[in-house]
Amino acid sequence: MSNRQRRKSLSIFRPPLQPLTPIRDELPDSAPAATLKKRRPISCTDDESPMSSPGAQKIERTDSKRSLSRLMTKDRSRGTQKDGRPSSIFGSLRSLSSLKDEDENSAPSPSSMHSAASAIPDVAAGLLIHHGPLPEVSGVFRRRCPYLVLTDLHLTQFKSQGRASEMFPDISNPHGPAKTNLRHSRLSSSSSIHELQGPSDGYYSIPLVHVIAVYKLDDGEPYFSIEVAHLNDNSSSASTMTLQIHDPGESSAWLTAIRSAASKARLTSSVFFPSSLVEYTAKSLEQEQDYHPDHFHMFKVVQRANKSGKRSSSDDLTKLTSKICILAVGMYKIHIVPLPKSAKSPSSTSLSELSGTSHGIVTLSSVNIQTFDDSFQLWFRVPFKPPHALHLAALCVHEVASYIRQATEYLRPEWIEQPFAWIAPSSLSDDALLPLAPEEEDDNLAFDRTLTAYCAGYAIDTSNIRYTINYTCDDAPAFELLPRASIQRPKYSSMELLAIFRALRYNETFHTIRFGGISLDVLNGLCDPHGWEHTPWTRRSGEPVDLGEQQRTSILIQEVRALALKSRRLRRMDFSYCFTRRSSSAGAVPDSGCGICEALFPLCVKQYTNVDWVVLDGNLLADVDIDYLYAAAIEKSSHFRAIEVGHCGLGDRNLEMVLQALSHQGETLETLSCCGNFARLQPLDLREYFDRFSFIRTLDFSNTYRTSGAEPLFAFNTLRRWKLAELSLSGSSINPETLAVLADYLRDPQSNSLKILCLNQCGLTGGNVNDLCRAMTRSTPRQLHLFISENYLEQGHAGLVEAVEQSLTPSQLTMEMLEYRDEENYRFLLQAWARNTSTVYLNMSKVALPLAASTATAAALEAMLANNETLQILNIEGQETHLESAIFGPTLNQALLGLKQNKVLKVLHVEHQKLGMPGANTIASILEENSTLLELHCACNGFSLQAFTVIVSSLKDNTTLLYLPYMEEDREAEFKKWDREFEGGRDSGLRSLTTPTKATVNTMRRSLGAAMPGPLQIANRPVGPPTKQKRQYTQQQADRLLTSINTKWDKEIAMMQGFLQRNHNLAHGSHGLPQENGAAIENERPATGLSARTGGQLGSTETTPLAEPDRQLGAGMGAASDNGDGAVNRLEDDGDTETALMMSKTLNLD
C-alpha cells in the first residue's frame, strides 16, 4: 500500500443519521446474497450520501459519562424533527398518557400522571390515513366486527364501524347518524390482547411513537396476519397487537400503511432512552466484559416467534408470543438483553421472560433484511458448530444493520470481503450505508484488535496467545508465533489457532509468517461440515480461484491457503517442526501428508500467490507431499526462492525427486537445504544438479551422507559462480578433495560474500583449520563466522595455535566442546589468543580438560584477558552433567582477575563454572574496577544469598554494566539445598518460592506444614567424638528461614534493577536515577550487604550449610518474628521483581 492511499475502516462512531426514505407501497427488491465487499471511504460531508449528516465535519470520541448521557437526552424538539432522523440510538418512545375528556382547548385532568410535554394528542386530532373492518369476532351473545383506524399519530381499534364514525366524520356510519354525546375516556396503551376484545369505552389506541416493529406473523402459508409490537416506557408495559386479515391484498395494504405512518411518527418525535434502561443495558455488557463507552449502541427490537408449517388457527396465534428486548452492539459482541422486570406487564399474554444471549461479531455468518416488513434475521456460527439464528424485527432495522456492518468492518478493517452474506434492500447497498470515518492509527494494521475480536467470539483467553514481530530478519517484518503461555497446556487448541490464522488474513503488514515449533497437528485433517463462509474462494483482488472442491479439504489447508491468497506482500512461510505425524504402515489408509504442500504448492503453480519461500524442516513428508512439491517445482512459473526440506525423512528416491524438480528453479532459487535426511548422495549426480543453480546464497547439506570415493562434493567453478552467504556442511564427512576445493574457493575474491561457514563435526584437525584460515586471510581480518566445534583439533594442534597467534582467524570463531588430553596444548592456545588481533567474537565454551586447570593454565587465561585488545565477546561457559564435566576449575577465580586490566571486552559468559562464594568476591572486585564490561552472564554458579548480595553491592560504584542475571537458577539450587537439609522432600513447595509473591510464600508454608509456636532455637551439637549428625529444625524454623531467604533475594533483585536502570539512563544521555531514589537504594541496603573487599575474608572462611543461616540472613532472621500464636510476620517486598529489565546493548562487531 505504499503507492496508494491507505484504506479507511469503518468506525463505530458516526454522525447523526439523515431521515430514511418514507416507506412506499412497493419497496425495491433485495440485493442478491453475495460476499460482502469492502467499501471505500466516503466523505462525511458528501451530500449525495443518504445516510450522511449535513454539516458533520468531525467525529469526536466521548467518555463513559457522555456515552451514557447521549442516550438519555433529547436531541431535537418535535418541531425540528420534521426533516431529520433522530439519533442512531433509538430509545424508549413516549408513553401513552390519558386521552382528553374534553376538546382540544380544555385543560388536562388533575389526576394525570404525565406532564403536558409528554401528553398524547387526542385520537381524533390526527390525519386519517387508512381504515377498514377486521374479521368478525365471535362473542357469547353476539357477533361483532371490529373496525381499525390509522392516523398519522395513532392506530385505533373500535368495537364497530359506528363507533369509529362517531369520532371520524369521514368514516360512514352504516347504522345512521353519529350520536352527539360520545364520551372520550382515558385508556392506557399497555392493553394486552385480552383488552382488545371488548373494552367498555369502545376503542383501544396505540400511539405510533410507541411502535417497535410491524411485521408479518409467521403462522403458516399464506401469511396474512400482521403483528404490531409496542412499548410504553413510562407505564412499564410491553405488548403486541395481532391483526388477523383474511385477504392478502388488504393485509399488504395495512402493513405498508402502518409501517409508513409509524416511521414518520418516529422521525418527528424526540426519541430517547430512560437513564435506568441505559444503565441496565450497560451493566449487562459489563458483565460480559464487552462494554466500551465509545463502542456502545442499543436498539429496541422484537425477538420474533418463528413457526413454520401449515396455517394455524386463530387460537394457535396466541401461542406465538414475541418478545420485546434490547439489541446492544458492544465492542466485540452483539447482545440480546431482556427488558428489566419492572418494564414487563404481569399479564399472562404479555411478553414472557427472556434470558439474554451474546454472540461474537466475528461469528456473524448472514444478515437477511426483509423488504416487505420490519423483520430481519442474524445468523451466527462458531467453528465446528451449526449456525444459530436470531429472528428479529425493528422499525429501525436499517440503523441496526448499518451499525452491525460498521462493527464488523471496525474489527476487521483490512478484510476486503467480509465473510458473511449480506441480503438487504438496495437502500442498504454499500453506497447508501454510513460513511467511513478516518481510520485510527493502529500498529500492524489493527492485528491486535482483530485477534482480540476472534478470541472474544470463540471464547478464548487472550493471555495464552504469545507472539513477537521481528523487524531485523530477511523479509521483515516477520510475525512469529511463540509457545502457548500456559504450562499445563503448552499446545494451542484448534480454536486458538483458528483465531490466529483468521486475524492474520488480509493483513499485509507481515512479509513473513513463522509457525516454527508450534504444533499444528490439531488442525491437520480436521473438517467443519457446518459451513464454508471462511473458505477462500477468491484472491485478494476478487478473482475466483480454481482449486477444486475446497469445502472438502481440512481446516488447516483452507486457512493456509487463505493467508497466501489474501496478502500480496507475504513472501515467506515457515512451518518447521509443526507436525509430529508418522508415515502410515503398509496396508493402512493412504497417508494424506502434512497438508502444507497441498495448501501452498497448487497456488504457486497457478500464480495465485506471491509466496516463494516455504520452510518444511522437521516435518515427515509423505509421498503425496513430494508429489505436490514436484508438480510445483518443475514449473518455472512458480519462481521459488527456497524450499527447505531438512530433517524431513527423505530417502534416496524422494531426495532425488526434490533435487531434480528444484533444478528447474535454477534462475530464482536462493536457498537449498536438504540437511538431516536419510538419503546417501552421489557426488557426481549432486554436482550435475548444482551446475543448474545460478544464484544460490545459502547451501545447507549438513548431517547428510555421501558415497565413498575421491570425488569432491562440489566443483570449484560451481562455488565460484555462486555468491554464497552461508555454507553449512556440519556433521558430514569431508574428504581431502572437498577440503581442497573449499580452500581454493576461500582464496578467490568471489568468496568475499561468504559470512557463515559451518564445519562442526567434520573430522577436521588443527592443520586443516590452519589451511582454511590461511586461505581466507585478507589484508584486514576476514568478516566471517567460522564454526569448528567438536573436531579433532588437538591433532595438529600446532597449526591451530599458529593460525591464532598470527591473527589468521576470522572476526568470529566458535570452537565449542573441545577435548584435550594434554592440558599444555590448551595453555598454548590461551597464550596465542593473548596475542591475537583479528577475532572480535570467541566462543570456547565447554572445553574438557583431563583435570582441573592448573595454576599455569589459569595464569595463561589471566594474561589473555588482560592483554588481548580485540576481543569484545568471550564465552568460556562450562558444562556439568551426570556423565561428564567440562569446567575450568577453582583456579578460574584467579584467572578472571585479568579483567581488571581489560579495556575492550563488553560481553562475558561464565555460566556453569561452580564459582561459589570465592567467585562472587572475584566478580565483585572486577565490577568495582572494570569500566567497559556491558553484560555479565554468570548464572548457575552455585551462588548463595550472601554471594548474590556481594555482587549486587559492587554495582554501587559501577556505572557501565547494563545486564546482570537475576540468578533464579541459583536461588532454586539454594532452596533445594535447604530442602535436603530439612529432610522434608518438599521440592515442589520450595520451588514455588522462586516467585516473589505473597501467594508463593503461603504455598511454601502449606508445603512445610503448620508453623509451630516458640522462638527460633537450633539444637546444640552433641559433645564427644566428631560424628556426622544432622541438626534438627522445626517446621517453624524451616518456614522462617526459607521465607527470609526468598524475601532478601527479592530485595537484592529490586536493588540490582535500580542500579542497572541508573546505568542504562547514563548510557543514553540521562542523569541516572533521581537523587532521592539513589538515597533510597543506599538506605535500603540490607545488613548482609558486604563490599567486595570485606567479602573476601568471609569467603575464605570454611562454612557448612548448618553454620551459614545466621551469617547469611543477618538481620533478616530478626525481621521474621513470632507473634505469640505460632504465626510468622514477614517483611513485605517493595520491589517489583516480576518484570525483567532488558538493558542489553547491541554490539557493532564490524
Side-chain angles (χ1 to χ4, degrees):
M1 294 185 292
S2 59
N3 297 327
R4 64 182 180 87
Q5 185 179 3
R6 185 177 181 183
R7 183 175 59 259
K8 306 299 182 183
S9 65
L10 277 176
S11 174
I12 293 299
F13 317 105
R14 297 292 176 238
L17 304 176
Q18 280 189 341
L20 286 171
T21 304
I23 300 178
R24 298 181 296 272
D25 292 341
E26 295 182 2
L27 296 176
D29 295 335
S30 61
T35 306
L36 220 54
K37 293 289 185 178
K38 177 73 176 182
R39 294 178 289 117
R40 294 291 180 184
I42 304 174
S43 173
C44 293
T45 60
D46 190 355
D47 295 336
E48 297 181 359
S49 175
M51 302 295 289
S52 62
S53 175
Q57 301 292 336
K58 183 177 181 181
I59 300 176
E60 298 181 355
R61 302 176 66 91
T62 62
D63 56 13
S64 178
K65 183 175 180 181
R66 292 175 58 192
S67 175
L68 295 179
S69 63
R70 65 178 179 174
L71 302 176
M72 302 179 292
T73 306
K74 297 182 181 181
D75 293 325
R76 296 180 294 270
S77 63
R78 181 172 177 178
T80 59
Q81 289 274 351
K82 292 289 186 180
D83 299 327
R85 171 174 294 181
S87 173
S88 59
I89 303 300
F90 297 95
S92 62
L93 304 175
R94 289 191 294 178
S95 62
L96 176 63
S97 62
S98 302
L99 297 176
K100 298 180 181 179
D101 290 330
E102 292 79 23
D103 56 17
E104 252 182 53
N105 297 327
S106 63
S109 172
S111 61
S112 176
M113 301 298 295
H114 308 286
S115 63
S118 61
I120 300 299
D122 189 75
V123 175
L127 178 65
L128 186 64
I129 296 178
H130 193 68
H131 60 91
L134 293 177
E136 294 182 352
V137 178
S138 298
V140 178
F141 301 105
R142 61 177 180 173
R143 300 175 61 87
R144 55 188 176 85
C145 183
Y147 201 83
L148 195 64
V149 177
L150 174 66
T151 67
D152 60 344
L153 299 177
H154 293 81
L155 176 65
T156 308
Q157 177 178 325
F158 294 89
K159 287 184 177 181
S160 63
Q161 184 177 352
R163 291 278 187 172
S165 64
E166 294 174 358
M167 187 172 294
F168 297 95
D170 294 340
I171 301 177
S172 62
N173 188 349
H175 303 293
K179 298 181 179 180
T180 59
N181 58 347
L182 177 64
R183 181 173 58 89
H184 293 237
S185 64
R186 297 178 175 87
L187 298 177
S188 173
S189 65
S190 61
S191 301
S192 62
I193 295 178
H194 287 293
E195 293 175 296
L196 301 179
Q197 294 178 357
S200 59
D201 297 303
Y203 67 91
Y204 166 72
S205 181
I206 301 175
L208 294 183
V209 294
H210 291 173
V211 174
I212 303 300
V214 184
Y215 51 92
K216 289 185 177 181
L217 188 63
D218 189 8
D219 61 340
E221 295 182 359
Y223 309 107
F224 299 154
S225 299
I226 299 175
E227 194 164 70
V228 180
H230 54 96
L231 173 65
N232 187 343
D233 289 304
N234 292 339
S235 60
S236 300
S237 62
S239 184
T240 57
M241 170 191 276
T242 302
L243 307 179
Q244 301 179 32
I245 304 175
H246 294 166
D247 182 71
E250 186 67 17
S251 175
S252 177
W254 273 110
L255 180 66
T256 302
I258 296 174
R259 290 184 65 201
S260 177
S263 297
K264 291 180 180 179
R266 182 173 140 270
L267 293 175
T268 57
S269 301
S270 299
V271 182
F272 64 99
F273 278 107
S275 60
S276 58
L277 187 58
V278 174
E279 294 176 359
Y280 166 77
T281 306
K283 289 180 179 179
S284 300
L285 269 63
E286 286 180 349
Q287 292 179 355
E288 296 287 334
Q289 298 181 352
D290 193 43
Y291 175 75
H292 190 284
D294 296 333
H295 299 267
F296 174 56
H297 299 277
M298 53 187 293
F299 309 88
K300 295 176 184 177
V301 298
V302 178
Q303 190 167 4
R304 299 184 295 114
N306 185 35
K307 181 178 179 180
S308 59
K310 297 182 180 179
R311 182 174 178 83
S312 303
S313 64
S314 59
D315 295 335
D316 293 334
L317 293 178
T318 59
K319 301 178 183 179
L320 299 177
T321 58
S322 298
K323 308 171 184 66
I324 297 180
C325 52
I326 299 297
L327 185 147
V329 181
M331 184 71 177
Y332 303 111
K333 296 180 182 179
I334 295 175
H335 307 263
I336 299 297
V337 182
L339 293 175
K341 293 183 179 180
S342 60
K344 295 180 181 179
S345 173
S347 173
S348 59
T349 57
S350 298
L351 302 178
S352 62
E353 294 290 335
L354 175 66
S355 58
T357 58
S358 300
H359 303 274
I361 295 176
V362 295
T363 63
L364 186 67
S365 61
S366 177
V367 178
N368 189 356
I369 303 173
Q370 304 299 331
T371 59
F372 49 81
D373 61 4
D374 294 333
S375 62
F376 63 101
Q377 295 84 37
L378 300 178
W379 292 81
F380 300 90
R381 197 180 75 84
V382 177
F384 315 113
K385 294 182 180 180
H388 175 76
L390 291 179
H391 298 275
L392 307 171
L395 206 61
C396 55
V397 57
H398 287 201
E399 286 77 13
V400 174
S402 297
Y403 278 100
I404 291 178
R405 176 74 176 272
Q406 281 183 341
T408 59
E409 297 198 17
Y410 173 77
L411 297 179
R412 290 183 292 227
E414 294 301 309
W415 285 55
I416 298 178
E417 297 179 2
Q418 294 289 342
F420 59 86
W422 180 261
I423 306 174
S426 58
S427 58
L428 283 176
S429 62
D430 287 351
D431 296 335
L433 287 175
L434 296 172
L436 297 173
E439 185 175 347
E440 300 176 1
E441 290 296 331
D442 289 326
D443 294 336
N444 308 315
L445 299 180
F447 171 75
D448 284 343
R449 184 199 310 168
T450 306
L451 179 59
T452 305
Y454 272 105
C455 290
Y458 295 167
I460 296 171
D461 186 1
T462 56
S463 62
N464 289 326
I465 299 178
R466 299 168 58 244
Y467 69 93
T468 185
I469 300 175
N470 191 342
Y471 293 95
T472 60
C473 63
D474 294 336
D475 293 329
F479 172 86
E480 299 178 0
L481 184 62
L482 302 178
R484 197 170 184 268
S486 176
I487 300 177
Q488 291 76 13
R489 292 182 53 194
K491 294 183 179 180
Y492 288 101
S493 65
S494 58
M495 300 297 286
E496 290 171 336
L497 290 174
L498 280 181
I500 296 169
F501 271 104
R502 290 172 182 177
L504 288 170
R505 191 184 296 193
Y506 281 103
N507 195 308
E508 292 193 332
T509 299
F510 311 114
H511 298 183
T512 300
I513 295 179
R514 289 196 176 101
F515 292 95
I518 304 300
S519 176
L520 301 179
D521 290 322
V522 67
L523 293 182
N524 190 16
L526 184 63
C527 297
D528 187 357
H530 300 289
W532 305 282
E533 61 272 10
H534 280 87
T535 303
W537 304 106
T538 62
R539 301 176 64 183
R540 184 183 180 92
S541 61
E543 175 188 353
V545 296
D546 182 15
L547 297 172
E549 298 182 355
Q550 291 195 73
Q551 62 270 22
R552 296 186 178 182
T553 59
S554 68
I555 290 293
L556 176 66
I557 294 176
Q558 294 180 15
E559 295 301 325
V560 172
R561 283 180 177 176
L563 292 181
L565 287 170
K566 303 302 184 179
S567 176
R568 297 166 299 181
R569 297 190 176 185
L570 183 61
R571 301 293 304 277
R572 184 184 309 212
M573 301 188 74
D574 185 353
F575 296 97
S576 57
Y577 298 94
C578 289
F579 304 95
T580 58
R581 50 175 297 278
R582 290 177 173 79
S583 59
S584 300
S585 58
V589 179
D591 196 341
S592 59
C594 66
I596 303 300
C597 298
E598 181 181 355
L600 288 178
F601 292 138
L603 305 182
C604 299
V605 172
K606 298 184 179 183
Q607 301 183 24
Y608 287 156
T609 179
N610 292 328
V611 175
D612 53 14
W613 194 306
V614 182
V615 181
L616 299 172
D617 293 339
N619 302 312
L620 184 61
L621 299 183
D623 291 340
V624 63
D625 295 321
I626 301 300
D627 293 340
Y628 279 112
L629 190 155
Y630 184 86
I634 61 175
E635 299 291 338
K636 291 186 177 181
S637 59
S638 298
H639 301 294
F640 284 121
R641 289 189 298 151
I643 297 181
E644 301 184 28
V645 290
H647 302 278
C648 290
L650 302 181
D652 294 346
R653 176 179 174 276
N654 286 339
L655 184 57
E656 183 178 358
M657 288 182 61
V658 170
L659 292 175
Q660 182 181 358
L662 291 178
S663 64
H664 293 79
Q665 305 294 322
E667 299 299 325
T668 57
L669 200 69
E670 299 179 6
T671 295
L672 181 61
S673 175
C674 299
C675 60
N677 288 295
F678 305 136
R680 186 175 294 273
L681 302 176
Q682 295 283 347
L684 294 179
D685 297 338
L686 191 61
R687 289 170 61 182
E688 181 180 353
Y689 294 134
F690 285 166
D691 289 340
R692 300 181 184 179
F693 300 125
S694 303
F695 302 101
I696 293 293
R697 292 182 53 82
T698 301
L699 183 65
D700 188 357
F701 271 79
S702 58
N703 298 304
T704 56
Y705 304 95
R706 53 158 291 172
T707 57
S708 59
E711 302 87 359
L713 192 60
F714 29 65
F716 167 73
N717 291 331
T718 302
L719 293 178
R720 190 176 183 278
R721 186 173 69 253
W722 296 341
K723 292 185 178 181
L724 283 176
E726 180 178 350
L727 176 61
S728 179
L729 300 175
S730 298
S732 303
S733 178
I734 298 181
N735 56 11
E737 290 76 14
T738 302
L739 193 61
V741 171
L742 187 58
D744 292 340
Y745 170 67
L746 292 174
R747 293 188 187 95
D748 194 276
Q750 288 295 109
S751 68
N752 290 341
S753 60
L754 187 65
K755 300 301 179 184
I756 298 177
L757 178 59
C758 297
L759 300 175
N760 300 323
Q761 290 183 308
C762 290
L764 301 181
T765 64
N768 298 142
V769 174
N770 184 286
D771 295 338
L772 294 176
C773 290
R774 290 187 178 278
M776 68 178 66
T777 301
R778 301 291 189 268
S779 58
T780 58
R782 182 69 178 267
Q783 299 300 315
L784 181 144
H785 195 160
L786 177 62
F787 293 83
I788 52 173
S789 302
E790 300 183 77
N791 284 296
Y792 307 124
L793 299 185
E794 194 173 14
Q795 182 179 353
H797 194 266
L800 175 62
V801 172
E802 181 182 355
V804 172
E805 189 172 10
Q806 296 181 7
S807 300
L808 303 178
T809 53
S811 61
Q812 301 177 56
L813 180 62
T814 297
M815 41 194 305
E816 295 181 325
M817 303 183 69
L818 302 182
E819 293 187 8
Y820 281 93
R821 298 181 179 179
D822 189 353
E823 181 185 341
E824 186 178 11
N825 291 330
Y826 183 56
R827 184 163 61 250
F828 290 155
L829 181 62
L830 294 177
Q831 293 172 354
W833 279 116
R835 294 184 287 271
N836 184 277
T837 59
S838 60
T839 300
V840 177
Y841 171 91
L842 176 60
N843 185 346
M844 286 179 31
S845 61
K846 306 170 187 176
V847 175
L849 301 176
L851 297 172
S854 62
T855 306
T857 304
L861 178 58
E862 181 180 5
M864 169 189 166
L865 296 175
N867 299 328
N868 188 285
E869 298 179 354
T870 56
L871 278 178
Q872 297 184 22
I873 301 178
L874 175 62
N875 190 340
I876 53 174
E877 176 186 352
Q879 182 184 34
E880 186 174 13
T881 62
H882 293 289
L883 300 178
E884 60 180 354
S885 177
I887 61 176
F888 195 90
T891 56
L892 180 60
N893 293 316
Q894 178 64 31
L896 292 177
L897 294 177
L899 291 172
K900 293 183 178 182
Q901 305 175 29
N902 191 288
K903 302 301 180 184
V904 293
L905 191 66
K906 298 180 180 179
V907 180
L908 176 64
H909 292 261
V910 287
E911 299 99 327
H912 300 282
Q913 288 287 2
K914 287 188 175 182
L915 296 178
M917 187 65 203
N921 295 325
T922 302
I923 292 175
S925 63
I926 293 171
L927 293 179
E928 288 181 348
E929 299 186 23
N930 186 285
S931 60
T932 59
L933 200 61
L934 301 179
E935 297 183 16
L936 178 58
H937 302 259
C938 57
C940 304
N941 274 295
F943 291 143
S944 62
L945 173 61
Q946 184 181 8
F948 187 35
T949 303
V950 169
I951 295 175
V952 173
S953 299
S954 64
L955 292 177
K956 176 184 176 182
D957 299 325
N958 185 294
T959 59
T960 57
L961 191 71
L962 300 178
Y963 174 80
L964 189 68
Y966 291 167
M967 314 293 183
E968 293 293 347
E969 297 85 355
D970 298 89
R971 169 156 50 176
E972 182 95 6
E974 182 82 352
F975 285 141
K976 288 182 178 180
K977 178 185 69 174
W978 286 107
D979 187 42
R980 290 191 298 268
E981 186 67 29
F982 298 147
E983 298 180 350
R986 297 175 294 272
D987 286 348
S988 59
L990 296 173
R991 187 175 296 110
S992 67
L993 275 179
T994 58
T995 303
T997 62
K998 294 181 180 179
T1000 54
V1001 174
N1002 293 334
T1003 303
M1004 184 61 193
R1005 289 175 178 173
R1006 289 193 296 271
S1007 66
L1008 292 176
M1012 298 181 63
L1016 177 62
Q1017 295 179 357
I1018 301 177
N1020 296 327
R1021 295 179 181 272
V1023 180
T1027 58
K1028 273 199 156 183
Q1029 181 177 358
K1030 293 189 176 182
R1031 301 178 66 177
Q1032 299 299 319
Y1033 290 89
T1034 65
Q1035 293 292 339
Q1036 184 185 6
Q1037 291 171 347
D1039 182 22
R1040 292 166 59 185
L1041 175 64
L1042 296 174
T1043 301
S1044 184
I1045 291 176
N1046 190 65
T1047 303
K1048 291 264 175 213
W1049 203 291
D1050 295 340
K1051 285 186 175 292
E1052 294 301 324
I1053 290 178
M1055 235 162 310
M1056 182 184 70
Q1057 287 179 330
F1059 288 130
L1060 295 181
Q1061 181 65 60
R1062 175 202 62 191
N1063 298 350
H1064 184 267
N1065 295 340
L1066 291 174
H1068 290 79
S1070 302
H1071 298 289
L1073 292 177
Q1075 184 176 0
E1076 58 273 14
N1077 291 350
I1081 291 177
E1082 179 62 24
N1083 294 334
E1084 289 184 6
R1085 291 300 307 157
T1088 55
L1090 303 176
S1091 66
R1093 295 178 177 84
T1094 60
Q1097 301 175 358
L1098 182 59
S1100 61
T1101 305
E1102 296 233 356
T1103 59
T1104 63
L1106 295 177
E1108 286 183 346
D1110 293 331
R1111 178 162 51 243
Q1112 285 194 10
L1113 303 179
M1117 291 298 294
S1121 60
D1122 189 2
N1123 61 9
D1125 57 354
V1128 176
N1129 297 324
R1130 186 177 66 90
L1131 293 177
E1132 300 296 335
D1133 182 12
D1134 298 329
D1136 182 8
T1137 60
E1138 294 183 357
T1139 56
L1141 182 62
M1142 301 303 297
M1143 300 179 182
S1144 300
K1145 182 178 180 181
T1146 304
L1147 300 178
N1148 185 6
L1149 302 181
D1150 298 335

